[in-house]
Amino acid sequence: MNLEVRQHAATGPEEAASAQFEARAATLPGASWVKELRSGAMARFAEAGLPHRRIEEWKYTDLRTAIRQLPAPASGEASGRGQPATLSAIEAHRIVIVDGGTPQLPDAIPGVEVTSLEAALAEGDPAFRDLVSTWPRGVESSVFDLNTAFMQTGAVIRVKADTALDKPLHLAFVATGAEEATLYARNILIVEDGAALTYVESYEGPNGLAYHVNTATRFTVGDNARLAYVKLQRDGDEAVHLAAIGGEVGAGANLALSPFMIGGALSRNNVGLRFDGRDAVGNVAGVQMLGARQHADTTLFVDHKEPACVSRELFKSVLDDRARGVFQGMILVRKDAQETDGKMMSQALMLSDRSEMDNKPELEIYADNVQCGHGATTGALDHNLLFYLRSRGIPESTAQALLIEAFIYEALEAIGDEAIEAALSGYAHDWVSVRRDTAE
Amino acid sequence: MTALLEIKNLHVEVEDQKILNGLDLVVNPGEVHAIMGPNGSGKSTLAYVLSGKDDYEVTEGQILYNGEDLAEMEPEERAVAGLFLAFQYPVEVPGVATMTFLRTALNSQRKARGEEELSTPDFMRVVRAAAERLGFDMDMLKRPVNTGFSGGEKKRSEILQMAVLEPRLCVLDETDSGLDIDALKVVADGVNALRSPERAMVVITHYQRLLNHIVPDVVHVLSRGRIVETGGKDLALELERSGYAAYQAA
Ligand SMILES: Nc1ncnc2c1ncn2[C@@H]1O[C@H](COP(=O)(O)OP(=O)(O)O)[C@@H](O)[C@H]1O
Ligand SMILES: [Mg+2]
């Protein structure tokens, strides 16, 4: 007798994914090379299922337990209209994607090509294919495979060599709540040699709706280019947000990556960053502000492949009520990456006894002449600071609010764009004010 | 006339350790009192108890401020009522700009007193005037509170806060320590500028030299948690010569 042994019984979401793929595969965008990519990814997902706690990197974020239902992929036709509320006051070139529909593209920007994912997948020169299918270490997972299988909308942005934009480029994803769906987005961001871009990617959606976002952004930063990449996640309070952000940085280039997570019931960012040329600088400065029973996880892999690069990872978590934050970071320094300067720090501010923070920073070093370190701290608001502020007549709740905003300030400051920093401070301030008003 | 501050038989414990043991003090509006004493005699403890720091437990006695029992008041309520402590060791508050801090403090106090909050330009006028008087660089106000300030800058920042908040009872805890003679003069001038018939000051110091610049009406010696001697400004000079040894001997 031939017994087929499965590693696990397929759960609801896993069976749903297979069925959804069968139903939708024919209509998903892309030439034949894309179709192959999709079915390969789907097969891997069917084999592995959702990531679970027995997989080391998913120890603290067990999706198999947490995700009971996998909403169908967005129809793309639910609304098609709508404007982002998020960061709308920022002067920017804007690409808006509503409910997984076709991107609304901005007017022509000199030196920049913006197309929809759909258009790009229909063709696909080898370099572009490469960006779709190969990613640096640290990003791939079965969740990411789902993204490859279902990627339906997104933007492809190319900033040509030596171009500097007059204002930021803002890619805004809006869920209107017209359907409880999964948005599968895939974005490609190419910053060619010597170019400079400030890029903001935002997500927003209504409370009370268990929609999902499964998004992946692949970037590549050319030699001596600059990319400031801000990700703002303001999804609704029941949303699930799963993201991959990854790419490589060329020689002498500068990347500032700033993920800011404030929404969603459950979110996970997998970030993979690789230094492909010497003398590059990578600055990852993340913030998460969580309350209720929110769970947010950022897992980071920094790959120092080439010598003399600097990486800084600073991650600030503010945790209230029963929220749970996770930060996992790995700095890998390969044999040839001499003179690497890599520092990673995770700091958590616990506003409630019931909140939880899990830190897992790691170093793996194969070069002998490097300066690397990591650290993690967790603690409550400092009593002496609170007393100092109160002794000047500042009410306790306001003093707390000031100190919470001060705690994340260092991470926001790394963005280097005053308007965006101010806007993010504004969201932090709102978060703190809501908390304060609830307390009073 | 009601005393601005009346401390009666005050006993204070910190972590089950008795620090103040029956301290009495009466300060009237317009007066400047100096409190001198050796290290560890309880001077800062008195300052903290007045401003309402927790961990400092009043086990006996009473503090009346303007006739009201302070025990019932939170630190911010005491500040609103006009009490100000210039800390011996001001804390650094990274990430909070000094300007934001000052404006929040002033407007919180005004709001709590039912006064209108100051607009930004009006607030700036108040701060600029105070900063000029104290030789305080306006650029420093953009920096986070006390963060990276030298010892002298921190003390000056305390006095600037005092000048902006215009309290009725100023408690200065070793504001002179860590200041060179020029800085000492500037700070003393700043403090003297605030002297008025309605306002009282309690100047805590270990050394006499500050009192050459801020001339007190009354000088007290604090030892082992009690006031053991009270006199005029000459008492400070005497202490300078003879030291505290006489008071410390049991
Ligand atoms: N928070 C505290 N915890 C424990 N002991 C304290 C604390 N604060 C003060 N003390 C003790 O109380 C005594 C008086 O301290 P303090 O008031 O700072 O004296 P002074 O300011 O006169 O030097 C000292 O013995 C000191 O060690
Ligand atoms: Mg002291």
Side-chain angles (χ1 to χ4, degrees), chain B residues 2-19:
Chain B
T2 335
L4 188 54
L5 179 68
E6 187 173 3
I7 302 179
K8 293 191 259 189
N9 189 32
L10 185 65
H11 291 250
V12 173
E13 286 184 14
V14 186
E15 291 173 359
D16 296 329
Q17 198 187 333
K18 290 187 178 164
I19 311 289

Side-chain angles (χ1 to χ4, degrees), chain A residues 230-265:
Chain A
V230 177
K231 169 185 173 162
L232 173 55
Q233 190 267 95
R234 290 181 72 224
D235 279 309
D237 61 1
E238 290 183 21
V240 172
H241 181 104
L242 305 169
I245 299 173
E248 64 279 304
V249 181
N254 190 304
L255 169 71
L257 176 61
S258 308
F260 190 103
M261 275 72 62
I262 206 161

Side-chain angles (χ1 to χ4, degrees), chain A residues 15 27 69 107 115 123 195-196 203 238 251 296 397 420:
Chain A
E15 280 174 349
T27 58
Q69 296 223 25
D107 294 337
T115 46
E123 304 175 10
Y203 297 84
E238 290 183 21
S397 55
I420 296 171

Side-chain angles (χ1 to χ4, degrees), chain A residues 228-313:
Chain A
Y229 180 152
V230 177
K231 169 185 173 162
L232 173 55
Q233 190 267 95
R234 290 181 72 224
D235 279 309
D237 61 1
E238 290 183 21
V240 172
H241 181 104
L242 305 169
I245 299 173
E248 64 279 304
V249 181
N254 190 304
L255 169 71
L257 176 61
S258 308
F260 190 103
M261 275 72 62
I262 206 161
L266 169 66
S267 64
R268 161 94 170 198
N269 286 315
N270 267 39
V271 181
L273 163 62
R274 191 178 67 219
F275 291 99
D276 269 5
R278 56 180 302 139
D279 297 317
V281 176
N283 227 316
V284 183
V287 173
Q288 51 190 16
M289 303 185 87
L290 310 172
R293 287 172 177 270
Q294 282 178 288
H295 176 119
D297 173 337
T298 291
T299 295
L300 188 67
F301 193 98
V302 180
D303 185 347
H304 282 268
K305 197 171 147 239
E306 295 293 324
C309 292
V310 177
S311 74
R312 289 282 176 276
E313 292 79 39

Side-chain angles (χ1 to χ4, degrees), chain A residues 59-61 288 290 292 294-296 317-327 348-359 378:
Chain A
K59 183 167 70 177
Y60 301 117
T61 302
Q288 51 190 16
L290 310 172
Q294 282 178 288
H295 176 119
S317 303
V318 179
L319 303 170
D320 199 8
D321 207 358
R322 289 169 181 251
R324 184 171 179 195
V326 179
F327 174 76
L349 180 57
M350 318 296 282
L351 299 175
S352 142
D353 295 340
R354 296 179 301 176
S355 60
E356 180 179 336
M357 180 74 201
D358 297 294
N359 283 305
T378 52

